[in-house]
Amino acid sequence: MPIEVDVAILGGGPGGYTAAVRAAQAGRSVVIIEKDKLGGTCLHRGCIPSKALLRSAEVYATVRGAEAYGIRLAEGQAASVDWSAVMNRKDGVVAQLHKGVEALMKQNRIQVIKGAGRLTGPSIFSPRGGAVAVELEDGESETVVPRHLILATGSRPRKIEGLPYDGTSVVTSDEALTWPSRPASAIIVGGGVIGVEWASLLGDFGTTVTLVETADRLLPGEDKDISSELARQLEKRGVKLLLGAKLDASSCAVTEGSVSVRVETAAGDAATLEAERMLVSVGRIGNVENLGFENTDVKASGGFVTVNPATLQTGEPHIYAVGGVIGGVQLAHAAMHEAEAAVAHILGQPIPRAPDRDVPRAIYSRPEAAAIGWTEAAAKAAGFETRAVKLPMRIFGKALVYGESEGFAKAVADRKTGDLLGVHLVGPHATDLIAEASLAKLLDAVPWEIGRAIHPHPTLSEAMQEVMQAVSGSASHGS
């Protein structure tokens, strides 16, 4: 017998399981269809495992610099990396969180069906595309008939055609997370968030890193001040940056223990790069294949599902899509926010969906970076008369105490109205500090209000207070 349900979700990542919990808490019957493991890319191949590796790299770098804090290792002793232990810790963190997600489903009485789902024809709830056929692991099949369906199938790394991907020597970030050993040298293709994070962690572990980016700067979607500061910090630690460079994929060759590829530098010169391994991080593409869209009015364009940006509905009003499969800001917390908005719309209690610009963006390199809202250049291009202030982290006591005084806090405001347009941070715990700016955007707070709020001293949060005071013209440290 078909399983009739109020809400079915195709995909069990952050968008999928968040939608499931919200719908179940509202008293709806819910089914999640997931062909792999609950938690999705974020938990198993993205956010969590990569940040676990970054933390190990950070600890290693801290131990190696311990003398700066007055801490000496025993004579003749030196810190070293046990790669298998690093990977085991990463796997342990993932496993613990995976159990937590499974427990969350049981706690909320959400039925989980393990299998691959595909949209089929009419159902009792919809004249077109209403049912989901699920191919189970054992070869059997199941049919789910939902009143509402949420597509949350996520995304995967985009590949460069012509490169000889083999899962070990030439890889995407998925395979790099299971490397059996730390490479002595690596070529990273792509200077976006993933490329910068991997350059940071591998560099901290002692790998010789060359990063190749076609744009003229790292993180081309972020404020130029973030790009230049992170580039400076990576180069300071020995990472070689080739910006404005073009990769010749057809020249890539893999031999035992080595990868070589030819690039054209920004100056127009040809150079051949060689390293033990190559990591390709050039964006992501939605998982839209083999989902039966041809049986419905759901459409995909450019590798992503097309949705109404306000309601997240597809061409089928009862079918929604959230997370990486719709493109835009491909971040786990964006998927969670979209899931809540989609379920709220289903419940007839719609909440505003934040524009991509107002989703906080976090980069977990060393130092960290984070941002929300307009970049200074984009705000000017959009016609705003801007006022921007940037304060160095070294003026804040807690940054000096931590021994991590590189970076800055930057605020961009509308000179005419005083409204806050954007916040850009580089420095210790920047990914935590950006939450205050996110709350400010939600509450439509202006800089002087944020600056007036009492911040404890000494803390890194004072950077937010001071930069907001500065952009409104009253900072104690000046502007």
Side-chain angles (χ1 to χ4, degrees):
M1 291 289 292
I3 299 173
E4 294 183 13
V5 67
D6 292 325
V7 181
I9 296 124
L10 197 54
Y17 69 70
T18 298
V21 171
R22 292 292 179 264
Q25 289 175 340
R28 302 305 193 265
S29 57
V30 182
V31 164
I32 277 189
I33 302 161
E34 171 56 60
K35 65 181 179 181
D36 193 3
K37 294 179 179 179
L38 290 174
T41 293
C42 174
L43 178 53
H44 300 285
R45 297 177 298 280
C47 319
I48 299 302
S50 65
K51 277 50 179 182
L53 295 183
L54 280 156
R55 175 58 178 159
S56 290
E58 179 187 34
V59 170
Y60 181 52
T62 301
V63 172
R64 285 187 294 127
E67 285 195 9
Y69 300 84
I71 307 300
R72 296 181 182 275
L73 298 176
E75 188 173 348
Q77 297 294 313
S80 62
V81 176
D82 182 338
W83 188 257
S84 62
V86 168
M87 299 301 272
N88 286 339
R89 177 180 183 274
K90 178 259 297 180
D91 292 341
V93 171
V94 170
Q96 182 175 340
L97 290 172
H98 180 227
K99 289 180 181 177
V101 176
E102 290 182 320
L104 191 62
M105 298 300 102
K106 293 179 181 177
Q107 177 184 335
N108 287 281
R109 296 183 176 85
I110 296 165
Q111 182 178 358
V112 178
I113 300 177
K114 192 164 186 180
R118 178 180 173 81
L119 306 184
T120 60
S123 76
I124 59 174
F125 299 124
S126 174
R128 181 169 166 79
V132 181
V134 185
E135 183 180 345
L136 305 177
E137 287 184 306
D138 60 6
E140 297 294 319
S141 62
E142 188 71 83
T143 299
V144 178
V145 183
R147 288 179 171 81
H148 299 281
L149 175 66
I150 298 176
L151 302 174
T153 52
S155 64
R156 64 185 184 277
R158 190 182 294 272
K159 292 186 175 181
I160 296 176
E161 187 176 352
L163 288 179
Y165 296 91
D166 62 0
T168 301
S169 297
V170 180
V171 303
T172 69
S173 55
D174 282 1
E175 297 83 30
L177 287 167
T178 59
W179 269 339
S181 62
R182 178 190 65 82
S185 57
I187 300 165
I188 296 178
V189 182
V193 174
I194 294 174
V196 167
E197 290 184 351
W198 274 94
S200 179
L201 79 87
L202 288 176
D204 274 346
F205 276 133
T207 297
T208 301
V209 177
T210 300
L211 187 151
V212 181
E213 167 58 46
T214 56
D216 62 357
R217 62 187 177 98
L218 297 178
L219 303 162
E222 294 298 343
D223 194 270
K224 286 187 177 181
D225 285 331
I226 285 182
S227 299
S228 59
E229 181 65 19
L230 288 187
R232 188 173 72 87
Q233 293 302 322
L234 288 174
E235 288 181 321
K236 185 177 176 181
R237 285 151 53 199
V239 175
K240 183 177 181 181
L241 303 180
L242 295 180
L243 305 177
K246 298 179 181 178
L247 187 83
D248 180 3
S250 64
S251 71
C252 186
V254 178
T255 57
E256 187 174 351
S258 177
V259 179
S260 65
V261 68
R262 190 168 59 251
V263 299
E264 180 182 322
T265 67
D269 302 321
T272 297
L273 306 179
E274 187 171 349
E276 183 179 338
R277 294 177 202 156
M278 177 189 288
L279 166 61
V280 182
S281 55
V282 290
R284 301 183 67 84
I285 188 169
N287 294 321
V288 298
E289 297 83 6
N290 303 314
L291 294 178
F293 290 172
E294 67 277 9
N295 299 317
T296 71
D297 286 328
V298 177
K299 305 295 182 186
S301 176
F304 299 102
V305 174
T306 302
V307 296
N308 178 322
T311 66
L312 295 161
Q313 290 169 294
T314 67
E316 296 281 355
H318 70 295
I319 300 179
Y320 297 70
V322 302
V325 75
I326 68 172
V329 180
Q330 297 198 22
L331 300 169
H333 49 277
M336 293 175 176
H337 169 69
E338 290 159 3
E340 292 180 343
V343 172
H345 193 268
I346 288 171
L347 298 175
Q349 304 164 356
I351 59 175
R353 179 200 172 197
D356 285 351
R357 186 184 306 111
D358 287 345
V359 175
R361 308 179 294 278
I363 303 163
Y364 296 83
S365 54
R366 189 172 67 89
E368 290 185 349
I372 191 170
W374 296 87
T375 67
E376 183 178 3
K380 289 179 178 178
F384 291 102
E385 184 180 342
T386 63
R387 173 174 169 79
V389 172
K390 183 173 72 170
L391 300 179
M393 292 300 293
R394 65 177 178 272
I395 68 176
F396 302 108
K398 188 65 175 290
L400 294 177
V401 169
Y402 262 49
E404 299 178 22
S405 57
E406 303 291 350
F408 60 84
K410 178 177 179 178
V412 182
D414 185 334
R415 189 180 292 272
K416 292 182 178 179
T417 66
D419 288 342
L420 180 63
L421 298 178
V423 178
H424 311 277
L425 306 172
V426 175
H429 298 282
T431 60
D432 299 307
L433 296 176
I434 200 64
E436 182 177 1
S438 183
L439 177 61
K441 295 290 286 183
L442 176 65
L443 299 179
D444 202 21
V446 293
W448 72 262
E449 292 174 312
I450 306 165
R452 183 171 292 180
I454 299 172
H455 291 63
H457 172 80
T459 63
L460 297 169
S461 69
E462 289 177 282
M464 283 292 295
Q465 180 181 27
E466 291 283 350
V467 78
M468 293 302 171
Q469 289 179 345
V471 82
S472 60
S474 59
S476 59
H477 281 97
S479 60

